[in-house]
Amino acid sequence: MTRRAAFTMLLSAVLTGLSTVRVDAHFSIPARADGLNLTLEVVALDIPEGEEGDVRLTVGSHRFRLYVLDEGYRPVDGADIKLTFHPPSTELGAQQILTPEGQGAYRAEGAFLSRPGAWRVAAVIRLPGRTEPIVADFELDVAPAPSAGIPLSLWAAVGLLLVLGGIGVIALRVRRRRHG
């Protein structure tokens, strides 16, 4: 095995060990407000490998989708919706306008949950033909981001490096004995 081949194998093993797996972890929070049936769906994005089984909502990037249904559970389209994210221990919050997706679904994506604690997400819904907005609050308990620890696949890459290094040393010694 040439040095170049060994280096290529090592590099691919290390890069594989550092990769993340895209896993969607869903959290749905229902609410009712002024005759509307609402569901805030929070989808955690880019969970590090090995954290797939963790069902806590954590600090990081998320997709937020608000489903708006009327009293008869029919989708409500044409609404203007804004989410305000209120972090723990403060009333100040970041606002995000949701993009309509159709069939009563409205979406935003980003890293709005920036620290652990009890968050309040306020949905302000403006319906066509109605002057007063409808407001609904959703409570989210946000855990700290998973620790960065060394993933198991990185340990496997280190082990592969040691094995390849050992094979290389043995190959050099055998080669020297034959030619020298």
Side-chain angles (χ1 to χ4, degrees):
M1 177 182 298
T2 68
R3 286 184 190 171
R4 182 175 288 171
F7 177 75
T8 302
M9 287 179 66
L10 171 64
L11 183 60
S12 71
V14 168
L15 291 177
T16 300
L18 295 176
S19 69
T20 59
V21 175
R22 187 172 176 95
V23 176
D24 290 339
H26 296 280
F27 303 90
S28 294
I29 304 114
R32 288 191 43 83
D34 282 344
L36 293 179
N37 295 293
L38 308 168
T39 302
L40 180 64
E41 178 186 79
V42 183
V43 180
L45 303 174
D46 299 327
I47 298 172
E49 186 176 1
E51 298 292 332
E52 297 92 359
D54 195 348
V55 293
R56 299 175 303 159
L57 181 60
T58 60
V59 169
S61 293
H62 301 86
R63 179 181 314 119
F64 297 88
R65 184 174 284 124
L66 183 66
Y67 293 96
V68 182
L69 305 173
D70 65 15
E71 288 181 284
Y73 293 94
R74 292 176 299 271
V76 175
D77 289 323
D80 291 321
I81 301 176
K82 175 177 59 178
L83 291 182
T84 303
F85 299 87
H86 298 280
S89 304
T90 182
E91 281 302 308
L92 299 175
Q95 295 184 353
Q96 180 64 36
I97 295 173
L98 293 146
T99 303
E101 292 185 313
Q103 297 299 309
Y106 300 81
R107 172 185 171 175
E109 192 169 307
F112 304 110
L113 305 176
S114 57
R115 63 183 189 196
W119 284 71
R120 182 172 59 87
V121 178
V124 178
I125 304 162
R126 295 190 178 277
L127 296 174
R130 187 171 170 154
T131 56
E132 292 297 314
I134 298 170
V135 179
D137 285 333
F138 298 91
E139 302 295 326
L140 304 178
D141 185 25
V142 179
S147 64
I150 299 174
L152 182 59
S153 54
L154 184 57
W155 286 115
V158 170
L160 178 62
L161 172 64
L162 293 173
V163 169
L164 289 175
I167 291 171
V169 168
I170 292 169
L172 284 174
R173 288 187 179 176
V174 168
R175 188 174 184 181
R176 285 184 183 157
R177 286 186 186 164
R178 287 185 183 168
H179 296 291

